[in-house]
Amino acid sequence: LHLPKPNRYIPRSLEFCEDLPEEAKVQRIEIPIEPPKLIVNKPNGRLWWRLDDRYALPKASVKILLRTATAENKLQTVADQPGNMRWDYHAETSMQSNFLTSIFTDAMAQDTYDSYLAGLGWSLSKSSSGFTLSCSGYSDRLSDFAIKLLTDFCHLHGSSDGDFLQESHFATAKDKIVRGLRSYFESSRADSLALYYRNLLLSSKGDGVTENLALAEAMKLADIKHHHQQIWADKNMVVEIFYTGNVSNREAQGLFDQVTDIIADTQSKALEGQAERMNYSPWVPGPFERRLPPGEDIEVHFDSKNPKEENGAVIVTYQSQIEGFKGKSLSSEESLHQSAAIRLLCRMIKEPLFNELRTKQQLGYIVSSYYDINYSTRQNNFFDSSYMSNTTPRRTAQTVPLTTSIDSLVVYVLSRKVEPIEVANRIDDFLLNFRSRLEEMTPSEIEDYADSLAKALTKPIRKLGDEASNHMAKIRRHGPQVLCEGSGYSVDDLPWDNPEILAGAIRKLGVDDILQVYDSLVLKKESRSKVTSFVYGKTFRMENSKPISAGARSSTLLSMGALTKKRQSLIAYDPSINYQKVCNGGVLQMLTKHKTTVRYAAAAVALVGVGIWGTMSFKGKGDEKRQK
């Protein structure tokens, strides 16, 4: 018999933070959430902090974002600038990062079992923005726990004990990743595959599951070790920390100091003996979305490879050509109006669509619609024309990091009763007839819908973890733009109060506003941006349905080759560039200024027969700052 070792993560105290006022020591979920405070702002890192005054719990949450392009990108020499380099998306690098997070999670499973018993949880994730270490639970030992995990993640191969990159953990991670990729097509439901093909067209940077499987099967432990070293060799890495809950300002700053010291020490070790890299563009990584051409309906058709799948699936996406609302200082009134109207329309459509297609017509197993929001970061080669100097980079209005919000209406049906093409026709018929219903809506009906949606948007968050994730998402997306030197913005411009602003705009909408947006988004074929993804199950195979092009202003994609070719013709979703039906004399002049436009638009000019328009009109509270 023996006693277990002491659990170092069991909290020593459940007392509230000494900085917490007396009135906040009782639960106050209904009070407004105060935005986090930026208490440290340095070139290599920022610390955001918020003392919880709503939940009255001895718990906290800390999120450490290592913002680095090395998570998914590789330095490449710029073709026409031999002395300069830039970060370009690299599928193998992205896969190596997936392996790295999986290996670390497996390696830490036993070490963090005690923390789990003590009420602490954690995760390490990879995104296009970098790596995020999240820790939550009782506040007393949370800082020590986060530091322990970060220290382990920073251990470079060849250093003393603590190296988590072991063959056993690598084998476990590889088996898990390879099995998941091998079985993806054979095990996925039709609607999941329809989303996959749509996203492969709109937002994916790589070539999908087939490419990832080949990369995963060829992966070696030595590749992961080299990649881990390269991550910490990125001198432009910026750390963003958000610490919230039952934690004092002093403790938050203490954690920040420890984190930055650990990272600095790791970077110095990683850079030892490495040659100095050529000049390269500082770039804030992030998600990516392509802009659909207005007036062109795109259809994507594929058979399901799941031998047991009897259902077919249809997913129809209407992408707004007006950028979505990001915040009162970051967006125009036009964006606010458009986003509010699209959200309200999605609310209005949901129940009637289900009643008509699911209940009355019994069209499918699943019938639904929803509002979708995506984000697109200004991409790396956009900055090429402004980061030419080998000395201090030049900051101009065009080189401000920017994340654009993108609104969409999505309708999807999973059915084995009707072939997918007929399902799409019935969705079209419903949306066409729904306009009459909108016209007949009384002001009181619109007010009821608007009030219901506004209340849902402003419903108080009830969990500390959800609140932390919500705030961190805004910091990750909009922090680089707002805090960029020379941008004209300040920390006060971060969009903490978006739900309240959107709720107010939704309540002001009238029937004419709703109809105008509905027509431009859904009904007007000459202006709408629509993509429909079809997946055929065993009941109705694609070869029997024989999909054909609907006209000159439509594209029907029946293979991966056709999808890839079409994807190359789409431009990035960026407010500085847009499609236009007729080329004009200003196009070439703009192309010479922004090389990203050449890359994303050259094929579009040739294949779609359209030009690029590089200016937008702004009419909002934040317009003066953005015009500067």
Side-chain angles (χ1 to χ4, degrees), residues 299-303 419-422 424 532 534-536 540-551 554-559:
E299 293 184 359
V300 180
H301 297 261
F302 285 93
D303 274 322
E419 66 174 349
I421 290 178
E422 178 59 24
T532 308
F534 298 82
V535 168
Y536 299 80
F540 301 98
R541 303 302 291 175
M542 186 172 74
E543 60 185 11
N544 300 324
S545 298
K546 296 180 181 178
I548 59 173
S549 177
S554 67
S555 298
T556 301
L557 314 177
L558 306 178
S559 67

Side-chain angles (χ1 to χ4, degrees), residues 174-230:
K174 183 171 183 176
D175 179 66
K176 181 180 178 181
I177 292 171
V178 169
R179 278 192 293 109
L181 291 169
R182 278 180 183 164
S183 63
Y184 179 78
F185 290 114
E186 288 75 17
S187 62
S188 294
R189 215 167 62 176
D191 52 340
S192 297
L193 291 173
L195 276 173
Y196 165 77
Y197 289 118
R198 184 203 67 176
N199 294 340
L200 200 59
L201 177 71
L202 283 183
S203 56
S204 177
K205 296 178 184 178
D207 291 331
V209 169
T210 303
E211 178 190 39
N212 288 336
L213 176 58
L215 291 170
E217 289 176 332
M219 198 66 66
K220 305 287 189 231
L221 179 59
D223 301 326
I224 311 303
K225 291 179 177 179
H226 177 74
H227 177 56
H228 186 234
Q229 185 94 9
Q230 293 306 301

